[in-house]
Amino acid sequence: SREGVIDAAYNQIYSTQVEEDVAELEKLGNSLATRQDFVQMALAFIERISTGDERRQNRLMRIRIVAAATKRPELRHLISESQSRLSDEFTRLVTFAQGEGWIRSDIPAHAITTLLQSTTYGRTFDDLSLHPLSDQEWSQVAHAALAAFLLPNQ
């Protein structure tokens, strides 16, 4: 069916973008040794996925696909596997950081991950604004959001 072909294409686009993010998280996660490593990795990852024209287009495409999936159960099923891989890898890193005492453990790791992801993709709304934030302004607020979860240096 026509819808099946569109779903397959959307799934391919979504999965490719997500797998790029998962690969980067895995690579970064394997190099964590200190709190400073974690902070630098997290900030770099958040900035990479939320700034620049290419990432803006990626965010818009992901939002378009998610919107389509709300009315198409098969598409939702297809993309949920990729999204779960991304969420699981990000959650694994946050759980590791919590275990090391680098990040608050009174909030579940998955909740922190979900908030950081939703904040990043929520930037799409600002992308559509007549007066969107600059990448520098966005980075400043993204850093503040991450800082809210960090524990003080010990």
Side-chain angles (χ1 to χ4, degrees):
S1 75
R2 178 177 180 270
E3 202 167 85
V5 171
I6 292 170
D7 286 356
Y10 273 171
N11 181 52
Q12 180 63 38
I13 292 166
Y14 196 90
S15 296
T16 298
Q17 290 180 1
V18 165
E19 288 305 317
E20 289 171 3
D21 292 346
V22 168
E24 184 171 341
L25 284 171
E26 287 174 340
K27 184 176 97 177
L28 293 169
N30 291 333
S31 63
L32 293 180
T34 67
R35 179 186 189 277
Q36 176 134 354
D37 289 342
F38 174 76
V39 172
Q40 288 176 339
M41 177 281 304
L43 292 176
F45 182 75
I46 290 169
E47 280 198 34
R48 190 190 73 69
I49 66 172
S50 64
T51 61
D53 289 334
E54 180 182 344
R55 291 309 293 208
R56 181 175 295 108
Q57 294 307 314
N58 285 355
R59 284 193 310 276
L60 289 170
M61 179 55 77
R62 282 193 196 177
I63 295 295
R64 181 180 303 139
I65 293 169
V66 168
T70 63
K71 301 217 185 261
R72 293 166 37 192
E74 182 60 31
L75 177 59
R76 180 184 170 137
H77 175 74
L78 290 170
I79 67 170
S80 68
E81 292 178 26
S82 294
Q83 182 58 47
S84 291
R85 274 193 31 78
L86 177 60
S87 294
D88 291 349
E89 184 59 27
F90 207 168
T91 299
R92 185 186 71 76
L93 291 175
V94 171
T95 300
F96 174 79
Q98 286 175 324
E100 293 294 312
W102 302 335
I103 197 166
R104 293 173 58 169
S105 60
D106 60 321
I107 302 171
H110 185 76
I112 293 171
T113 298
T114 300
L115 180 67
L116 292 174
Q117 286 183 81
S118 63
T119 300
T120 299
Y121 290 102
R123 184 165 188 208
T124 304
F125 296 110
D126 186 57
D127 291 337
L128 300 172
S129 170
L130 291 175
H131 309 288
L133 294 171
S134 69
D135 283 346
Q136 181 180 2
E137 291 168 318
W138 177 258
S139 293
Q140 183 179 9
V141 75
H143 291 190
L146 177 61
F149 296 110
L150 294 174
L151 293 173
N153 276 327
Q154 299 172 359

